[in-house]
């Protein structure tokens, strides 16, 4: 019996030694220190542990993570599907109960998605914090569009961006949209508390892109004209309107060959704020159409399609777009989403180790899939992603607030 009692006491001691610790009872300072060492994926998982951990996660800045890609092939599912390039990994996050399975994403900005429900009513949702913010209805939409078309089957919306971030103040946010009104592409915006969208009556014929720079909304047209609007008051006020000259660049021998034998389709223009500067990125696409040139192109190991990017900085004083040969350690992310710039030198940006480069997505399909890749400005080469999607993905920076 003694031995049995001894064994029982040892078992009790062992049970005592292996009692599972109460992690939820850690001091907030310790929790934040531990969480600050985790990846964004594990941060999101930690939000589900308890209320205290969820609060701690929201106090940690998530601006140090490189963007993910929202893979929109999964739009009819119960989860958002993301592709994390640096880990070559797909992650699914369950949609908030207020997000319909067939609601369509038309843009992303500062960690938020802009979606349309089946009635074409827009709203913001943060897929990481599960916060939803309803936006005013698009009253300018034609009744035929609302009744007969589905949000997934249209190209009315070119770009949607946040002018102020609701993650910092849920009572202070503003959204700007470029949309097609059957005649030309126009601008509108709304702020917290607005019951309707406010049209911005600019003079440009067709807006190609928009970006927020120095608390102002900048818009660019196909001819590289620029407008800047202050949207912080009750009505938008135009602060700038000019048509800067675009500096020409001396082509390399290979580019001269391409220009003489390839057919160039219309250029795409992207505005991006980078290190306090306003940049325009011009995307040039060439196709080899003449069969006579294909043999020569094959001998040079050139494809039937070529892609190049040029970067220019706006010189406000001289009113000109000045060619930038290199963007140094900066990494740009371009596409249908809000364009972004990050530093490859900052160790907090995993997946952005190669500076002087442009990560891009395309709205057009190549061999049945939308193109996603990285362009090196120094080498003038393109490296495609391993990702294959049928619909244009969107860049989004994880934001747990």
């Amino acid at each position: 019996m003694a031995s049995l009692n001894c064994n029982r006491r040892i078992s009790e001691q062992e049970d005592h030694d292996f009692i599972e610790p109460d992690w939820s009872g850690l001091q907030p300072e310790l929790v934040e220190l531990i969480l600050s060492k985790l990846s964004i994926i594990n941060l999101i998982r930690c939000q589900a542990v308890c209320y205290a951990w969820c609060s701690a996660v929201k106090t940690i800045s998530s601006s140090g993570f490189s963007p993910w890609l929202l893979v929109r092939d999964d739009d009819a599912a119960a989860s958002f599907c993301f592709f994390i390039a640096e880990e070559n990994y797909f992650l699914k996050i369950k949609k908030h109960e207020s997000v319909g399975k067939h609601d369509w994403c038309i843009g992303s900005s500062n960690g938020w998605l802009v979606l349309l429900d089946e009635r074409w009513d827009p709203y913001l949702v943060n897929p990481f914090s599960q916060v939803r913010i309803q936006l005013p209805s698009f009253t300018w939409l034609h009744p035929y569009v609302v009744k007969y078309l589905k949000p997934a089957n249209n190209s009315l919306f070119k770009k949607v961006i946040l002018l102020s971030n609701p993650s910092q103040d849920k009572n202070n946010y503003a959204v700007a949209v470029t949309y097609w009104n059957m005649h030309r592409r126009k601008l509108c915006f709304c702020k917290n508390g607005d019951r309707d969208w406010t049209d911005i009556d600019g003079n440009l014929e067709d807006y190609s892109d928009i970006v927020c720079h120095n608390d102002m909304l900048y818009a660019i047209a196909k001819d590289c004209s620029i407008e800047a609007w202050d949207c912080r008051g009750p009505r938008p006020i135009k602060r700038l309107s000019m048509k800067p000259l675009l500096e020409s660049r001396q082509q390399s021998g290979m580019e001269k060959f391409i220009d003489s034998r390839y057919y160039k389709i219309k250029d795409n223009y992207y505005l991006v704020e980078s290190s306090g500067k306003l940049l325009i990125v011009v995307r040039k696409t060439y196709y080899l159409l003449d069969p006579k040139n294909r043999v020569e192109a094959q001998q040079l190991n050139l494809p039937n399609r070529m892609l190049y990017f040029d970067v220019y900085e706006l010189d406000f004083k001289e009113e000109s777009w000045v060619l930038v040969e290199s963007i140094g350690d900066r990494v740009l992310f371009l596409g249908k989403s809000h364009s972004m710039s990050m530093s490859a030198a900052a160790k907090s940006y995993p997946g952005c180790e190669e500076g002087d480069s442009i990560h891009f997505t395309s709205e057009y399909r190549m061999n049945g899939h939308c193109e996603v890749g990285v362009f090196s400005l120094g080498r003038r080469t393109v490296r495609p992603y391993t990702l294959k999607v049928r619909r244009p993905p969107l860049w989004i920076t994880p934001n747990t607030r």
Side-chain angles (χ1 to χ4, degrees), residues 14-154:
E14 289 176 347
D15 289 342
H16 177 74
D17 291 342
F18 288 97
I19 291 177
E20 186 174 348
D22 181 15
W23 294 108
S24 62
L26 285 177
Q27 292 296 321
E29 296 80 5
L30 279 176
V31 174
E32 292 183 19
L33 178 63
I34 294 171
L35 295 181
S36 66
K37 307 297 183 181
L38 301 180
S39 68
I40 185 63
I41 298 176
N42 289 322
L43 279 178
I44 294 170
R45 291 168 177 162
C46 286
Q47 288 187 110
V49 173
C50 62
Y51 177 80
W53 281 39
C54 181
S55 299
V57 168
K58 292 182 179 181
T59 63
I60 298 173
S61 173
S62 58
S63 61
F65 294 93
S66 55
W68 296 357
L69 279 169
L70 173 64
V71 183
R72 294 165 63 186
D73 285 23
D74 219 30
D75 64 286
S79 302
F80 291 112
C81 183
F82 299 95
F83 177 72
I84 308 171
E86 62 265 24
E87 300 181 23
N88 197 29
Y89 177 74
F90 287 91
L91 175 69
K92 289 187 178 182
I93 297 178
K94 187 177 180 180
K95 293 179 180 178
H96 188 269
E97 59 184 10
S98 64
V99 179
K101 288 186 177 181
H102 298 283
D103 290 359
W104 186 253
C105 187
I106 60 173
S108 65
S109 180
N110 293 319
W112 291 77
L113 300 176
V114 187
L115 290 94
L116 296 177
D117 63 21
E118 294 182 343
R119 296 174 299 177
W120 290 75
D121 289 333
Y123 62 93
L124 298 173
V125 67
N126 185 325
F128 308 100
S129 65
Q130 300 292 309
V131 176
R132 170 179 166 140
I133 300 174
Q134 190 65 42
L135 299 176
S137 300
F138 291 125
T139 54
W140 43 263
L141 279 173
H142 194 280
Y144 174 88
V145 172
V146 177
K147 185 175 181 179
Y148 295 104
L149 296 183
K150 294 182 179 180
N153 298 327
N154 82 93

Side-chain angles (χ1 to χ4, degrees), residues 249 280-284 308-312 323 377 380:
R249 178 172 65 85
I280 177 179
V281 181
V282 183
R283 172 176 171 159
K284 301 178 179 180
Y308 283 99
F309 290 84
D310 283 331
V311 180
Y312 299 84
L323 181 69
L377 275 172
R380 310 293 292 175

Side-chain angles (χ1 to χ4, degrees), residues 155-304:
S155 57
L156 291 178
F157 304 96
K158 175 73 173 179
K159 184 69 67 76
V160 187
I161 66 170
L162 287 170
L163 301 179
S164 53
N165 194 345
S167 295
Q168 300 171 356
D169 183 357
K170 292 182 175 61
N171 296 317
N172 181 25
Y173 64 86
V175 185
V177 179
T178 58
Y179 68 95
W180 181 255
N181 72 340
M182 307 304 176
H183 299 289
R184 65 187 180 96
R185 199 168 295 282
K186 298 184 65 177
L187 298 176
C188 66
F189 87 104
C190 75
K191 298 185 299 182
N192 179 46
D194 288 351
R195 295 184 177 181
D196 201 355
W197 293 83
T198 301
D199 269 331
I200 300 177
D201 298 321
N203 297 324
L204 304 185
E205 292 185 359
D206 195 359
Y207 294 95
S208 296
D209 200 11
I210 53 176
V211 74
C212 184
H213 176 60
N214 291 336
D215 294 326
M216 298 223 287
L217 173 64
Y218 279 80
I220 189 170
K222 292 180 178 179
D223 63 354
C224 295
S225 296
I226 283 286
E227 287 180 347
W229 297 82
D230 187 344
C231 299
R232 290 172 290 183
R235 303 291 300 178
I237 301 174
K238 185 188 290 187
R239 299 297 188 187
L240 176 71
S241 180
M242 64 180 180
K243 185 178 180 180
L245 296 175
L246 192 67
E247 181 181 313
S248 60
R249 178 172 65 85
Q250 186 175 0
Q251 293 180 313
S252 65
M254 181 59 69
E255 289 171 326
K256 290 180 180 179
F257 171 86
I258 292 171
D259 264 353
S260 63
R261 292 167 175 82
Y262 281 67
Y263 170 78
K264 187 175 81 168
I265 64 173
K266 67 176 182 179
D267 295 335
N268 293 90
Y269 299 93
Y270 302 93
L271 283 176
V272 57
E273 188 277 337
S274 181
S275 299
K277 302 174 182 178
L278 186 62
L279 306 179
I280 177 179
V281 181
V282 183
R283 172 176 171 159
K284 301 178 179 180
T285 308
Y286 300 83
Y287 284 92
L288 183 64
L289 296 180
D290 190 348
K292 297 179 181 179
N293 296 326
R294 290 181 181 175
V295 175
E296 189 175 4
Q298 289 175 355
Q299 291 175 348
L300 294 173
N301 197 28
L302 296 177
N304 292 332

